[in-house]
Amino acid sequence: MTRFRRLAIVTIAATFLLIAVGGLVRATDSGLGCPDWPRCFGRLVPPAELHAWIEHSHRLIASVVMVLVALLVVAAYRTRQERAVRRASVAALAMVLAQAMIGAFVVWWRLRADSVTLHLATALALVALLIYLDFRSRHAGGGPGGQDRRFVRLVAAGTALTYLQMLVGSTVTGHDAGLAYPLNLLWPDLGPGAARIQLAHRALAALVGVLVVAIWLAARRSQRAHPTVTRLAGYAAGLVAIQIGLGLANVANRLSALTVVPHLAVGSVLWGTMFALLLHADRFAGTAARDPAEPLPAPARSARQSTAAYFLLTKPRIIELLLVTTVPTMFIAARGVPSPWLVAATLLGGALSAASANVINCYLDRDIDALMRRTARRPIPAHRIDPADALRFGLVLGVAGFVWLWATVNLLSAALATAAILFYVFVYTLGRKRRSTQNIVIGGAAGAVPVLVGWSAVTGRVELPALVLFAIIFYWTPPHFWALSLRFKDDYAAAGVPMLPVVRGARETSTQILYYTVLLVAVTLLLYPAGR
């Protein structure tokens, strides 16, 4: 990667950060934290007041972006980039200066809605221009071209609608329409007021979601010779799903900054991804020729085959086993029958989180999976899914699970489910699985978390009975898994995994199974006094 490209990428990242911090300014009502411009209360350093510093940090990041763009102009001319790149860099400098002036007018006009929307529109245009600049610095002179531009037109429509949706979202915020349409209301009162803007925002979000998914499916069908195009389309489809989930969480959490800022940040990244997709799609429009710089395309598979492979990657049997413990826990916590909607929402969020942990585990263990007969036919070692695609899929599932549980259940349940993912990935898979004979004992803690998620979903907290249920699952896991490992001892030995039967032998493993079984029975007896 050239120095010019590294500078361009840093500038793009700084611009995304600028937009996200701008979202924080709006979400915390800090837009007038510094009521004057360019100073703050007439001073270069703002007073010790939270809103003033939030607004001032936005201005400081904007200054950094200006400097970076100016350096891009200098670098474009010094490294003798092609004319299009040089012109784009100069245009970016003019745009970032205009962006700064619009920011001044936003303050002078006391956060007038149209000025705020114009401010965001210019920032998103700057992102697109910087992405174009980076693209042209890599692909001077354009691509091979072709006659069939139907896919390009489809992507262009999706990109334009994404940009429009971002501006409509800004208008919703500017007119305080974010809570004008509650989630439990099938159809709002469409009289004069904010509900019309919010309804338009949601309708457009649904249209963008459908169109982006359609683009992804079309890319898989017609653009397999160009992996960058299909990969960007897949990113966009995952981002739009997360974005819609964050939109729901926004309303459910009454426009908390914890969801408003990610909503704007993910929307901005979605816009940048769609614009990059448009550039790459246009480069290869209507041609099957492969750019030598492109990675080799994956073997062609039907949508059904790909869906089945990704489904198997989540280890559905393990998910089923985990969810079996969640439902009875919710009945115990409710001391009766919990809400069917709450049960369904908790199970879906738990399934997404468990799937995320399993997929990332498959990605990290792909080397040893290929060495064991029991796991050699999993999608990654069988070359049905690219490892990088699997990792992205697992991360998207984890974010989706967190957002869903937060939006539909509560933050504690979402945090517990995400903590289980992190524990399973970092403590068990990366930390102890290949280093300790007690690996499965440690990993069992992650498998016991669903009972805590189920309990907190009903009560909003973790109480003593939930901890006893956690202990029951925790002590059940070693004897259960060690019995299986006795059967697959040779597999683990071939892969170099220090499972207890491999290191200590069958006799010691059987003794440990007995000890843990006795402990398990003893722990189950604690549930009666804990639940009284």
mmCIF file of all heavy atoms in Angstrom, residues 486-531:
data_model
loop_
_atom_site.group_PDB
_atom_site.id
_atom_site.type_symbol
_atom_site.label_atom_id
_atom_site.label_comp_id
_atom_site.label_asym_id
_atom_site.label_seq_id
_atom_site.Cartn_x
_atom_site.Cartn_y
_atom_site.Cartn_z
ATOM 1 N N LEU A 486 -14.065 -39.037 25.155
ATOM 2 C CA LEU A 486 -13.545 -40.399 25.221
ATOM 3 C C LEU A 486 -13.744 -41.119 23.887
ATOM 4 O O LEU A 486 -12.884 -41.877 23.442
ATOM 5 C CB LEU A 486 -14.234 -41.171 26.352
ATOM 6 C CG LEU A 486 -13.770 -40.867 27.773
ATOM 7 C CD1 LEU A 486 -14.717 -41.500 28.787
ATOM 8 C CD2 LEU A 486 -12.343 -41.368 27.994
ATOM 9 N N ARG A 487 -14.871 -40.850 23.276
ATOM 10 C CA ARG A 487 -15.172 -41.486 21.994
ATOM 11 C C ARG A 487 -14.282 -40.942 20.881
ATOM 12 O O ARG A 487 -13.882 -41.683 19.976
ATOM 13 C CB ARG A 487 -16.639 -41.279 21.652
ATOM 14 C CG ARG A 487 -17.047 -41.895 20.324
ATOM 15 C CD ARG A 487 -18.507 -41.649 20.025
ATOM 16 N NE ARG A 487 -18.868 -42.210 18.730
ATOM 17 C CZ ARG A 487 -20.064 -42.059 18.154
ATOM 18 N NH1 ARG A 487 -21.009 -41.369 18.789
ATOM 19 N NH2 ARG A 487 -20.306 -42.592 16.978
ATOM 20 N N PHE A 488 -13.988 -39.620 20.927
ATOM 21 C CA PHE A 488 -13.218 -38.986 19.848
ATOM 22 C C PHE A 488 -11.787 -38.664 20.295
ATOM 23 O O PHE A 488 -11.176 -37.706 19.825
ATOM 24 C CB PHE A 488 -13.932 -37.706 19.400
ATOM 25 C CG PHE A 488 -15.302 -37.951 18.851
ATOM 26 C CD1 PHE A 488 -16.435 -37.587 19.571
ATOM 27 C CD2 PHE A 488 -15.476 -38.558 17.616
ATOM 28 C CE1 PHE A 488 -17.703 -37.815 19.076
ATOM 29 C CE2 PHE A 488 -16.737 -38.790 17.106
ATOM 30 C CZ PHE A 488 -17.867 -38.422 17.839
ATOM 31 N N LYS A 489 -11.253 -39.501 21.186
ATOM 32 C CA LYS A 489 -9.914 -39.277 21.721
ATOM 33 C C LYS A 489 -8.863 -39.196 20.618
ATOM 34 O O LYS A 489 -7.981 -38.331 20.638
ATOM 35 C CB LYS A 489 -9.582 -40.407 22.699
ATOM 36 C CG LYS A 489 -8.158 -40.396 23.214
ATOM 37 C CD LYS A 489 -7.900 -41.604 24.106
ATOM 38 C CE LYS A 489 -6.431 -41.671 24.521
ATOM 39 N NZ LYS A 489 -6.161 -42.878 25.350
ATOM 40 N N ASP A 490 -8.921 -40.090 19.632
ATOM 41 C CA ASP A 490 -7.911 -40.110 18.569
ATOM 42 C C ASP A 490 -7.952 -38.840 17.729
ATOM 43 O O ASP A 490 -6.904 -38.348 17.279
ATOM 44 C CB ASP A 490 -8.131 -41.330 17.672
ATOM 45 C CG ASP A 490 -7.852 -42.637 18.399
ATOM 46 O OD1 ASP A 490 -7.157 -42.586 19.434
ATOM 47 O OD2 ASP A 490 -8.347 -43.688 17.948
ATOM 48 N N ASP A 491 -9.148 -38.291 17.506
ATOM 49 C CA ASP A 491 -9.278 -37.036 16.762
ATOM 50 C C ASP A 491 -8.550 -35.905 17.473
ATOM 51 O O ASP A 491 -7.791 -35.146 16.863
ATOM 52 C CB ASP A 491 -10.749 -36.665 16.591
ATOM 53 C CG ASP A 491 -11.348 -37.253 15.325
ATOM 54 O OD1 ASP A 491 -10.616 -37.970 14.624
ATOM 55 O OD2 ASP A 491 -12.529 -36.983 15.045
ATOM 56 N N TYR A 492 -8.802 -35.785 18.765
ATOM 57 C CA TYR A 492 -8.167 -34.711 19.530
ATOM 58 C C TYR A 492 -6.647 -34.891 19.582
ATOM 59 O O TYR A 492 -5.887 -33.916 19.542
ATOM 60 C CB TYR A 492 -8.747 -34.653 20.938
ATOM 61 C CG TYR A 492 -10.148 -34.103 20.988
ATOM 62 C CD1 TYR A 492 -11.219 -34.898 21.370
ATOM 63 C CD2 TYR A 492 -10.398 -32.779 20.640
ATOM 64 C CE1 TYR A 492 -12.512 -34.392 21.407
ATOM 65 C CE2 TYR A 492 -11.691 -32.260 20.673
ATOM 66 C CZ TYR A 492 -12.742 -33.077 21.055
ATOM 67 O OH TYR A 492 -14.019 -32.577 21.078
ATOM 68 N N ALA A 493 -6.205 -36.132 19.680
ATOM 69 C CA ALA A 493 -4.767 -36.400 19.698
ATOM 70 C C ALA A 493 -4.128 -35.993 18.363
ATOM 71 O O ALA A 493 -3.041 -35.387 18.342
ATOM 72 C CB ALA A 493 -4.516 -37.878 19.970
ATOM 73 N N ALA A 494 -4.821 -36.283 17.251
ATOM 74 C CA ALA A 494 -4.295 -35.926 15.929
ATOM 75 C C ALA A 494 -4.202 -34.420 15.758
ATOM 76 O O ALA A 494 -3.293 -33.909 15.089
ATOM 77 C CB ALA A 494 -5.177 -36.536 14.836
ATOM 78 N N ALA A 495 -5.148 -33.697 16.361
ATOM 79 C CA ALA A 495 -5.172 -32.236 16.219
ATOM 80 C C ALA A 495 -4.306 -31.540 17.266
ATOM 81 O O ALA A 495 -4.132 -30.319 17.210
ATOM 82 C CB ALA A 495 -6.607 -31.728 16.321
ATOM 83 N N GLY A 496 -3.782 -32.292 18.241
ATOM 84 C CA GLY A 496 -2.944 -31.684 19.261
ATOM 85 C C GLY A 496 -3.711 -30.918 20.312
ATOM 86 O O GLY A 496 -3.154 -30.016 20.961
ATOM 87 N N VAL A 497 -4.983 -31.246 20.514
ATOM 88 C CA VAL A 497 -5.796 -30.581 21.537
ATOM 89 C C VAL A 497 -5.667 -31.379 22.839
ATOM 90 O O VAL A 497 -5.971 -32.578 22.860
ATOM 91 C CB VAL A 497 -7.272 -30.497 21.101
ATOM 92 C CG1 VAL A 497 -8.103 -29.817 22.188
ATOM 93 C CG2 VAL A 497 -7.403 -29.741 19.791
ATOM 94 N N PRO A 498 -5.236 -30.759 23.938
ATOM 95 C CA PRO A 498 -4.961 -31.509 25.178
ATOM 96 C C PRO A 498 -6.223 -31.835 25.975
ATOM 97 O O PRO A 498 -6.356 -31.442 27.149
ATOM 98 C CB PRO A 498 -4.036 -30.571 25.947
ATOM 99 C CG PRO A 498 -4.491 -29.202 25.540
ATOM 100 C CD PRO A 498 -4.889 -29.328 24.088
ATOM 101 N N MET A 499 -7.155 -32.538 25.352
ATOM 102 C CA MET A 499 -8.339 -32.972 26.088
ATOM 103 C C MET A 499 -7.917 -33.961 27.181
ATOM 104 O O MET A 499 -6.899 -34.669 27.063
ATOM 105 C CB MET A 499 -9.343 -33.617 25.139
ATOM 106 C CG MET A 499 -9.945 -32.641 24.121
ATOM 107 S SD MET A 499 -10.837 -31.273 24.888
ATOM 108 C CE MET A 499 -12.201 -32.129 25.659
ATOM 109 N N LEU A 500 -8.693 -34.042 28.225
ATOM 110 C CA LEU A 500 -8.339 -34.865 29.383
ATOM 111 C C LEU A 500 -8.063 -36.325 29.011
ATOM 112 O O LEU A 500 -7.077 -36.905 29.484
ATOM 113 C CB LEU A 500 -9.443 -34.773 30.435
ATOM 114 C CG LEU A 500 -9.118 -35.351 31.808
ATOM 115 C CD1 LEU A 500 -7.948 -34.606 32.446
ATOM 116 C CD2 LEU A 500 -10.350 -35.261 32.715
ATOM 117 N N PRO A 501 -8.878 -36.991 28.169
ATOM 118 C CA PRO A 501 -8.573 -38.389 27.812
ATOM 119 C C PRO A 501 -7.245 -38.536 27.074
ATOM 120 O O PRO A 501 -6.576 -39.574 27.198
ATOM 121 C CB PRO A 501 -9.739 -38.780 26.898
ATOM 122 C CG PRO A 501 -10.833 -37.838 27.231
ATOM 123 C CD PRO A 501 -10.155 -36.554 27.574
ATOM 124 N N VAL A 502 -6.843 -37.514 26.314
ATOM 125 C CA VAL A 502 -5.587 -37.579 25.570
ATOM 126 C C VAL A 502 -4.394 -37.488 26.516
ATOM 127 O O VAL A 502 -3.409 -38.224 26.391
ATOM 128 C CB VAL A 502 -5.521 -36.454 24.512
ATOM 129 C CG1 VAL A 502 -4.164 -36.456 23.804
ATOM 130 C CG2 VAL A 502 -6.644 -36.598 23.500
ATOM 131 N N VAL A 503 -4.466 -36.605 27.496
ATOM 132 C CA VAL A 503 -3.331 -36.330 28.384
ATOM 133 C C VAL A 503 -3.305 -37.282 29.580
ATOM 134 O O VAL A 503 -2.233 -37.794 29.960
ATOM 135 C CB VAL A 503 -3.378 -34.864 28.865
ATOM 136 C CG1 VAL A 503 -2.238 -34.579 29.825
ATOM 137 C CG2 VAL A 503 -3.339 -33.920 27.671
ATOM 138 N N ARG A 504 -4.455 -37.525 30.187
ATOM 139 C CA ARG A 504 -4.489 -38.312 31.431
ATOM 140 C C ARG A 504 -5.003 -39.742 31.237
ATOM 141 O O ARG A 504 -4.894 -40.548 32.164
ATOM 142 C CB ARG A 504 -5.379 -37.611 32.457
ATOM 143 C CG ARG A 504 -4.920 -36.191 32.797
ATOM 144 C CD ARG A 504 -3.734 -36.190 33.734
ATOM 145 N NE ARG A 504 -3.328 -34.840 34.088
ATOM 146 C CZ ARG A 504 -3.877 -34.130 35.062
ATOM 147 N NH1 ARG A 504 -4.865 -34.632 35.782
ATOM 148 N NH2 ARG A 504 -3.444 -32.903 35.316
ATOM 149 N N GLY A 505 -5.621 -40.022 30.099
ATOM 150 C CA GLY A 505 -6.114 -41.366 29.860
ATOM 151 C C GLY A 505 -7.575 -41.537 30.247
ATOM 152 O O GLY A 505 -8.181 -40.691 30.920
ATOM 153 N N ALA A 506 -8.149 -42.698 29.847
ATOM 154 C CA ALA A 506 -9.575 -42.956 30.047
ATOM 155 C C ALA A 506 -9.919 -43.135 31.528
ATOM 156 O O ALA A 506 -10.991 -42.710 31.975
ATOM 157 C CB ALA A 506 -10.000 -44.191 29.254
ATOM 158 N N ARG A 507 -9.025 -43.759 32.302
ATOM 159 C CA ARG A 507 -9.327 -44.022 33.715
ATOM 160 C C ARG A 507 -9.462 -42.717 34.497
ATOM 161 O O ARG A 507 -10.435 -42.526 35.249
ATOM 162 C CB ARG A 507 -8.241 -44.896 34.319
ATOM 163 C CG ARG A 507 -8.526 -45.306 35.765
ATOM 164 C CD ARG A 507 -7.425 -46.219 36.302
ATOM 165 N NE ARG A 507 -7.725 -46.660 37.662
ATOM 166 C CZ ARG A 507 -8.488 -47.689 37.975
ATOM 167 N NH1 ARG A 507 -9.024 -48.425 37.001
ATOM 168 N NH2 ARG A 507 -8.715 -48.019 39.229
ATOM 169 N N GLU A 508 -8.501 -41.813 34.325
ATOM 170 C CA GLU A 508 -8.566 -40.534 35.036
ATOM 171 C C GLU A 508 -9.773 -39.723 34.587
ATOM 172 O O GLU A 508 -10.429 -39.058 35.405
ATOM 173 C CB GLU A 508 -7.281 -39.737 34.795
ATOM 174 C CG GLU A 508 -7.269 -38.339 35.412
ATOM 175 C CD GLU A 508 -7.347 -38.355 36.927
ATOM 176 O OE1 GLU A 508 -7.023 -39.398 37.548
ATOM 177 O OE2 GLU A 508 -7.731 -37.320 37.502
ATOM 178 N N THR A 509 -10.091 -39.794 33.301
ATOM 179 C CA THR A 509 -11.252 -39.063 32.786
ATOM 180 C C THR A 509 -12.537 -39.593 33.408
ATOM 181 O O THR A 509 -13.415 -38.809 33.808
ATOM 182 C CB THR A 509 -11.319 -39.186 31.255
ATOM 183 O OG1 THR A 509 -10.107 -38.696 30.686
ATOM 184 C CG2 THR A 509 -12.492 -38.402 30.697
ATOM 185 N N SER A 510 -12.646 -40.912 33.516
ATOM 186 C CA SER A 510 -13.844 -41.504 34.131
ATOM 187 C C SER A 510 -13.971 -41.090 35.595
ATOM 188 O O SER A 510 -15.079 -40.820 36.085
ATOM 189 C CB SER A 510 -13.775 -43.034 34.024
ATOM 190 O OG SER A 510 -13.710 -43.430 32.673
ATOM 191 N N THR A 511 -12.844 -41.008 36.292
ATOM 192 C CA THR A 511 -12.863 -40.567 37.696
ATOM 193 C C THR A 511 -13.339 -39.124 37.800
ATOM 194 O O THR A 511 -14.162 -38.782 38.661
ATOM 195 C CB THR A 511 -11.464 -40.698 38.310
ATOM 196 O OG1 THR A 511 -11.024 -42.053 38.207
ATOM 197 C CG2 THR A 511 -11.470 -40.272 39.765
ATOM 198 N N GLN A 512 -12.841 -38.264 36.911
ATOM 199 C CA GLN A 512 -13.262 -36.858 36.906
ATOM 200 C C GLN A 512 -14.745 -36.727 36.568
ATOM 201 O O GLN A 512 -15.440 -35.878 37.134
ATOM 202 C CB GLN A 512 -12.414 -36.072 35.905
ATOM 203 C CG GLN A 512 -10.957 -35.895 36.302
ATOM 204 C CD GLN A 512 -10.801 -35.015 37.527
ATOM 205 O OE1 GLN A 512 -11.541 -34.052 37.721
ATOM 206 N NE2 GLN A 512 -9.846 -35.355 38.382
ATOM 207 N N ILE A 513 -15.215 -37.562 35.669
ATOM 208 C CA ILE A 513 -16.643 -37.546 35.337
ATOM 209 C C ILE A 513 -17.473 -37.883 36.571
ATOM 210 O O ILE A 513 -18.502 -37.243 36.847
ATOM 211 C CB ILE A 513 -16.936 -38.541 34.185
ATOM 212 C CG1 ILE A 513 -16.371 -38.002 32.874
ATOM 213 C CG2 ILE A 513 -18.434 -38.788 34.050
ATOM 214 C CD1 ILE A 513 -16.493 -38.974 31.710
ATOM 215 N N LEU A 514 -17.034 -38.865 37.332
ATOM 216 C CA LEU A 514 -17.751 -39.240 38.559
ATOM 217 C C LEU A 514 -17.756 -38.088 39.550
ATOM 218 O O LEU A 514 -18.803 -37.759 40.136
ATOM 219 C CB LEU A 514 -17.101 -40.478 39.179
ATOM 220 C CG LEU A 514 -17.700 -40.946 40.515
ATOM 221 C CD1 LEU A 514 -19.175 -41.314 40.346
ATOM 222 C CD2 LEU A 514 -16.903 -42.128 41.077
ATOM 223 N N TYR A 515 -16.595 -37.451 39.787
ATOM 224 C CA TYR A 515 -16.511 -36.339 40.730
ATOM 225 C C TYR A 515 -17.471 -35.212 40.338
ATOM 226 O O TYR A 515 -18.205 -34.680 41.179
ATOM 227 C CB TYR A 515 -15.082 -35.792 40.787
ATOM 228 C CG TYR A 515 -14.082 -36.696 41.475
ATOM 229 C CD1 TYR A 515 -12.710 -36.564 41.235
ATOM 230 C CD2 TYR A 515 -14.494 -37.681 42.365
ATOM 231 C CE1 TYR A 515 -11.774 -37.382 41.848
ATOM 232 C CE2 TYR A 515 -13.573 -38.514 42.977
ATOM 233 C CZ TYR A 515 -12.221 -38.366 42.724
ATOM 234 O OH TYR A 515 -11.308 -39.187 43.335
ATOM 235 N N TYR A 516 -17.433 -34.833 39.085
ATOM 236 C CA TYR A 516 -18.278 -33.721 38.641
ATOM 237 C C TYR A 516 -19.766 -34.096 38.665
ATOM 238 O O TYR A 516 -20.619 -33.230 38.874
ATOM 239 C CB TYR A 516 -17.866 -33.261 37.233
ATOM 240 C CG TYR A 516 -16.774 -32.217 37.260
ATOM 241 C CD1 TYR A 516 -15.437 -32.590 37.237
ATOM 242 C CD2 TYR A 516 -17.078 -30.862 37.323
ATOM 243 C CE1 TYR A 516 -14.424 -31.635 37.277
ATOM 244 C CE2 TYR A 516 -16.080 -29.904 37.362
ATOM 245 C CZ TYR A 516 -14.752 -30.299 37.337
ATOM 246 O OH TYR A 516 -13.764 -29.347 37.382
ATOM 247 N N THR A 517 -20.070 -35.372 38.466
ATOM 248 C CA THR A 517 -21.470 -35.801 38.541
ATOM 249 C C THR A 517 -21.999 -35.684 39.967
ATOM 250 O O THR A 517 -23.133 -35.241 40.201
ATOM 251 C CB THR A 517 -21.608 -37.243 38.034
ATOM 252 O OG1 THR A 517 -21.119 -37.326 36.692
ATOM 253 C CG2 THR A 517 -23.059 -37.692 38.060
ATOM 254 N N VAL A 518 -21.162 -36.065 40.931
ATOM 255 C CA VAL A 518 -21.557 -35.916 42.345
ATOM 256 C C VAL A 518 -21.750 -34.441 42.678
ATOM 257 O O VAL A 518 -22.728 -34.053 43.339
ATOM 258 C CB VAL A 518 -20.492 -36.556 43.265
ATOM 259 C CG1 VAL A 518 -20.780 -36.236 44.730
ATOM 260 C CG2 VAL A 518 -20.447 -38.066 43.052
ATOM 261 N N LEU A 519 -20.818 -33.597 42.214
ATOM 262 C CA LEU A 519 -20.957 -32.156 42.433
ATOM 263 C C LEU A 519 -22.236 -31.625 41.791
ATOM 264 O O LEU A 519 -22.936 -30.782 42.364
ATOM 265 C CB LEU A 519 -19.746 -31.421 41.849
ATOM 266 C CG LEU A 519 -18.485 -31.385 42.707
ATOM 267 C CD1 LEU A 519 -17.321 -30.798 41.903
ATOM 268 C CD2 LEU A 519 -18.728 -30.540 43.964
ATOM 269 N N LEU A 520 -22.543 -32.117 40.612
ATOM 270 C CA LEU A 520 -23.746 -31.671 39.911
ATOM 271 C C LEU A 520 -25.001 -31.977 40.722
ATOM 272 O O LEU A 520 -25.876 -31.111 40.886
ATOM 273 C CB LEU A 520 -23.816 -32.346 38.536
ATOM 274 C CG LEU A 520 -25.112 -32.169 37.747
ATOM 275 C CD1 LEU A 520 -25.329 -30.706 37.415
ATOM 276 C CD2 LEU A 520 -25.068 -33.009 36.468
ATOM 277 N N VAL A 521 -25.086 -33.188 41.245
ATOM 278 C CA VAL A 521 -26.254 -33.569 42.051
ATOM 279 C C VAL A 521 -26.346 -32.680 43.294
ATOM 280 O O VAL A 521 -27.431 -32.212 43.662
ATOM 281 C CB VAL A 521 -26.173 -35.062 42.438
ATOM 282 C CG1 VAL A 521 -27.303 -35.412 43.405
ATOM 283 C CG2 VAL A 521 -26.251 -35.937 41.198
ATOM 284 N N ALA A 522 -25.214 -32.429 43.920
ATOM 285 C CA ALA A 522 -25.219 -31.586 45.121
ATOM 286 C C ALA A 522 -25.683 -30.169 44.804
ATOM 287 O O ALA A 522 -26.463 -29.567 45.567
ATOM 288 C CB ALA A 522 -23.817 -31.561 45.737
ATOM 289 N N VAL A 523 -25.241 -29.634 43.688
ATOM 290 C CA VAL A 523 -25.617 -28.262 43.328
ATOM 291 C C VAL A 523 -27.105 -28.162 43.017
ATOM 292 O O VAL A 523 -27.757 -27.157 43.352
ATOM 293 C CB VAL A 523 -24.771 -27.779 42.129
ATOM 294 C CG1 VAL A 523 -25.302 -26.455 41.583
ATOM 295 C CG2 VAL A 523 -23.320 -27.607 42.548
ATOM 296 N N THR A 524 -27.669 -29.191 42.398
ATOM 297 C CA THR A 524 -29.103 -29.133 42.093
ATOM 298 C C THR A 524 -29.946 -29.011 43.356
ATOM 299 O O THR A 524 -31.026 -28.412 43.331
ATOM 300 C CB THR A 524 -29.543 -30.382 41.312
ATOM 301 O OG1 THR A 524 -29.274 -31.565 42.087
ATOM 302 C CG2 THR A 524 -28.824 -30.485 39.975
ATOM 303 N N LEU A 525 -29.446 -29.549 44.472
ATOM 304 C CA LEU A 525 -30.202 -29.474 45.724
ATOM 305 C C LEU A 525 -30.253 -28.059 46.279
ATOM 306 O O LEU A 525 -31.101 -27.753 47.123
ATOM 307 C CB LEU A 525 -29.570 -30.420 46.754
ATOM 308 C CG LEU A 525 -29.542 -31.907 46.367
ATOM 309 C CD1 LEU A 525 -28.847 -32.716 47.451
ATOM 310 C CD2 LEU A 525 -30.957 -32.428 46.124
ATOM 311 N N LEU A 526 -29.345 -27.188 45.820
ATOM 312 C CA LEU A 526 -29.334 -25.813 46.298
ATOM 313 C C LEU A 526 -30.474 -24.988 45.714
ATOM 314 O O LEU A 526 -30.778 -23.907 46.229
ATOM 315 C CB LEU A 526 -28.002 -25.141 45.932
ATOM 316 C CG LEU A 526 -26.738 -25.725 46.569
ATOM 317 C CD1 LEU A 526 -25.506 -25.020 46.018
ATOM 318 C CD2 LEU A 526 -26.805 -25.581 48.087
ATOM 319 N N LEU A 527 -31.082 -25.474 44.640
ATOM 320 C CA LEU A 527 -32.120 -24.682 43.994
ATOM 321 C C LEU A 527 -33.339 -24.504 44.892
ATOM 322 O O LEU A 527 -33.997 -23.450 44.852
ATOM 323 C CB LEU A 527 -32.525 -25.344 42.668
ATOM 324 C CG LEU A 527 -33.469 -24.533 41.785
ATOM 325 C CD1 LEU A 527 -32.850 -23.188 41.409
ATOM 326 C CD2 LEU A 527 -33.813 -25.311 40.515
ATOM 327 N N TYR A 528 -33.641 -25.509 45.721
ATOM 328 C CA TYR A 528 -34.831 -25.402 46.578
ATOM 329 C C TYR A 528 -34.707 -24.262 47.595
ATOM 330 O O TYR A 528 -35.575 -23.377 47.632
ATOM 331 C CB TYR A 528 -35.088 -26.730 47.290
ATOM 332 C CG TYR A 528 -36.243 -26.671 48.252
ATOM 333 C CD1 TYR A 528 -37.556 -26.629 47.787
ATOM 334 C CD2 TYR A 528 -36.026 -26.616 49.631
ATOM 335 C CE1 TYR A 528 -38.623 -26.555 48.673
ATOM 336 C CE2 TYR A 528 -37.081 -26.537 50.521
ATOM 337 C CZ TYR A 528 -38.383 -26.506 50.033
ATOM 338 O OH TYR A 528 -39.430 -26.421 50.903
ATOM 339 N N PRO A 529 -33.649 -24.212 48.410
ATOM 340 C CA PRO A 529 -33.562 -23.071 49.352
ATOM 341 C C PRO A 529 -33.352 -21.731 48.635
ATOM 342 O O PRO A 529 -33.828 -20.697 49.120
ATOM 343 C CB PRO A 529 -32.351 -23.418 50.227
ATOM 344 C CG PRO A 529 -31.551 -24.385 49.437
ATOM 345 C CD PRO A 529 -32.535 -25.167 48.631
ATOM 346 N N ALA A 530 -32.653 -21.734 47.501
ATOM 347 C CA ALA A 530 -32.409 -20.466 46.791
ATOM 348 C C ALA A 530 -33.688 -19.903 46.189
ATOM 349 O O ALA A 530 -33.843 -18.680 46.078
ATOM 350 C CB ALA A 530 -31.376 -20.678 45.688
ATOM 351 N N GLY A 531 -34.607 -20.769 45.824
ATOM 352 C CA GLY A 531 -35.827 -20.300 45.167
ATOM 353 C C GLY A 531 -36.975 -20.017 46.099
ATOM 354 O O GLY A 531 -38.053 -19.589 45.657
#
